[in-house]
Amino acid sequence: MAAKRKRGALAAGKAKRARSSPSAGEAVPEGGPQERSGPPQEYSIPPPVSQGKWKNKERVLIFSSRGINFRTRHLMQDLRTLMPHSKADTKMDRKDQLFVINEVCEMKNCNKCIFFEAKKKQDLYMWLSNTPQGPSAKFLVQNVHTLAELKMTGNCLRGSRPLLSFDPMFDREPHYALLKELFIQIFSTPQYHPKSQPFVDHVFTFTITDERIWFRNYQIIEEDASLVEIGPRFVLNLIKIFQGSFGGPTLYENPHYQSPNMHRRLIRLSVAAKFREKQQVKEVQKIKKKGTKVLVEEDPTEVVFETPAEEKPVEIQLVKPESKPIVKDKKKLRKIQRKKQKKLFRTEG
């Protein structure tokens, strides 16, 4: 079998020394170029930028557990698109322990890992780990928006190397400094990676606000060097930092972290407290209505302006009053009244 050609062999062959041809103004000696005295004039062609030596061989394994929703799946695919040095794997079963991921990374020849863990089909956790020695960090992922969002109007070259921008807070706290180094090793594309492009046209920003890490991806526009957001975007709420990979002694625990279960429980308790308060108000109103009324003493001056009415003589009616005919038709009623009036006139005449 023929020997396997090494990477960059063609570029090295092209970069070999080549003799320069004499220009038109120069005279060629009689003996030809072989009889020229002194060392020959030489020049070398440098290799292309993308065909340099790939020294920093960082490989990141990006995969998830079973039970993730569509938004998490799109986020995972976006990270694979933006990171040419990443690898994919099948979903891990929930019953498997997390330390099994170290063996998966070893099989895939990866030394970094981003693992998405879904719980209760509504909570998403992200593990960033340096396998197999450690350290590793566990985050709660919130406010996820993917590349397919309509609001993300930017664009960048696939496989280009990003700039990493960090908040000044990362240099003040020791646990943030550790996370900064972990982010640099995971999200930065190694130089001269075979799948990468020798261009820098977008920025990954990590900002600390409200005890959380906000991740944003911006495009660099060449005209005025302004930034346009590309996506994806998400917020990382730090839970713990472990000394080992996916376990081990705890190096740091976030005191401001509140689990999603506790957050939902507090919301339910607040709603229940409002309902109990309304019921208590209704009961108090019922008790007030049923309670005995307070009798106010009579005021003797109330009778001052009262005048007694005149007493009318009592009349006893001995004859039964005539019953009025019930007529629904008004015309008939008027005719009857006219007849009665005519009778009265005749009797009087």
Side-chain angles (χ1 to χ4, degrees):
M1 293 178 65
K4 189 175 180 181
R5 181 177 295 174
K6 294 184 179 180
R7 187 184 299 277
L10 183 61
K14 289 182 179 179
K16 287 183 177 180
R17 297 175 180 175
R19 294 180 180 178
S20 59
S21 59
S23 58
E26 294 179 356
V28 180
E30 295 179 358
Q34 289 81 7
E35 299 178 2
R36 184 182 300 170
S37 60
Q41 297 179 359
E42 300 174 352
Y43 63 92
S44 61
I45 303 173
V49 179
S50 59
Q51 294 185 5
K53 192 173 183 181
W54 178 29
K55 296 180 181 179
N56 181 19
K57 297 191 177 183
E58 296 282 352
R59 299 181 183 89
V60 183
L61 180 65
I62 302 177
F63 72 118
S64 68
S65 64
R66 298 194 179 276
I68 62 173
N69 54 10
F70 72 98
R71 190 176 289 273
T72 307
R73 186 172 66 253
H74 290 175
L75 173 64
M76 186 170 58
Q77 190 61 38
D78 293 344
L79 290 179
R80 290 173 182 169
T81 305
L82 291 172
M83 301 165 63
H85 60 294
S86 63
K87 289 188 177 182
D89 195 21
T90 56
K91 295 179 181 178
M92 195 179 76
D93 196 359
R94 296 181 185 177
K95 298 179 182 179
D96 295 340
Q97 299 295 328
L98 290 178
F99 61 83
V100 180
I101 301 175
N102 295 326
E103 299 178 4
V104 178
C105 292
E106 187 177 357
M107 291 167 57
K108 288 284 184 177
N109 196 18
C110 297
N111 51 3
K112 299 290 185 298
C113 180
I114 299 178
F115 177 66
F116 292 95
E117 184 180 9
K119 290 186 178 179
K120 295 187 175 182
K121 295 184 179 180
Q122 55 183 342
D123 302 330
L124 177 63
Y125 297 91
M126 179 192 285
W127 285 84
L128 300 179
S129 176
N130 179 25
T131 57
Q133 292 86 11
S136 59
K138 184 180 181 181
F139 301 90
L140 174 67
V141 186
Q142 299 171 331
N143 302 334
V144 177
H145 295 274
T146 60
L147 276 169
E149 300 281 348
L150 295 176
K151 295 180 181 179
M152 310 297 183
T153 58
N155 193 8
C156 69
L157 182 67
R158 184 187 180 102
S160 59
R161 301 180 66 232
L163 294 174
L164 299 184
S165 174
F166 290 93
D167 193 275
M169 184 66 71
F170 279 96
D171 298 326
R172 299 174 188 172
E173 300 291 337
H175 60 280
Y176 283 140
L178 178 60
L179 291 178
K180 178 180 178 180
E181 184 63 29
L182 195 61
F183 288 146
I184 290 173
Q185 294 183 13
I186 290 177
F187 287 97
S188 62
T189 303
Q191 193 175 12
Y192 302 127
H193 190 277
K195 294 183 180 180
S196 67
Q197 300 291 338
F199 303 101
V200 177
D201 59 352
H202 63 115
V203 186
F204 288 163
T205 61
F206 298 88
T207 310
I208 298 175
T209 306
D210 194 20
E211 304 297 335
R212 291 170 175 82
I213 301 173
W214 301 63
F215 175 86
R216 296 289 184 270
N217 182 20
Y218 296 99
Q219 175 196 0
I220 303 174
I221 301 178
E222 297 180 0
E223 287 78 8
D224 53 354
S226 61
L227 300 179
V228 178
E229 188 170 359
I230 304 173
R233 58 155 68 173
F234 50 87
V235 179
L236 300 177
N237 191 359
L238 178 63
I239 302 174
K240 285 183 180 181
I241 299 176
F242 300 95
Q243 183 176 355
S245 178
F246 296 97
T250 303
L251 298 178
Y252 176 78
E253 184 174 0
N254 188 7
H256 306 283
Y257 171 72
Q258 187 182 65
S259 64
N261 294 331
M262 181 60 67
H263 182 67
R264 288 190 287 266
R265 180 173 177 271
L266 292 177
I267 291 175
R268 289 196 300 269
L269 289 176
S270 64
V271 173
K274 288 181 181 179
F275 180 75
R276 283 197 301 269
E277 187 178 353
K278 288 182 180 179
Q279 293 296 326
Q280 290 175 359
V281 171
K282 288 182 180 179
E283 290 177 359
V284 170
Q285 290 176 353
K286 287 181 181 179
I287 292 172
K288 285 183 179 180
K289 290 180 180 179
K290 292 180 180 179
T292 57
K293 295 182 179 180
V294 180
L295 297 176
V296 183
E297 297 180 358
E298 293 184 0
D299 189 4
T301 60
E302 285 183 358
V303 202
V304 174
F305 298 101
E306 289 184 1
T307 55
E310 295 180 359
E311 294 182 2
K312 294 182 180 181
V314 180
E315 295 181 359
I316 299 172
Q317 190 174 3
L318 301 175
V319 184
K320 181 181 178 182
E322 294 181 0
S323 60
K324 296 180 179 179
I326 302 172
V327 182
K328 293 183 179 180
D329 194 357
K330 292 183 179 181
K331 292 182 179 180
K332 290 183 179 180
L333 180 62
R334 289 174 184 172
K335 288 181 181 180
I336 293 169
Q337 289 177 355
R338 288 174 185 172
K339 286 181 181 178
K340 286 183 179 180
Q341 289 177 359
K342 288 179 181 179
K343 285 181 182 180
L344 289 172
F345 285 130
R346 287 174 185 174
T347 52
E348 288 178 358

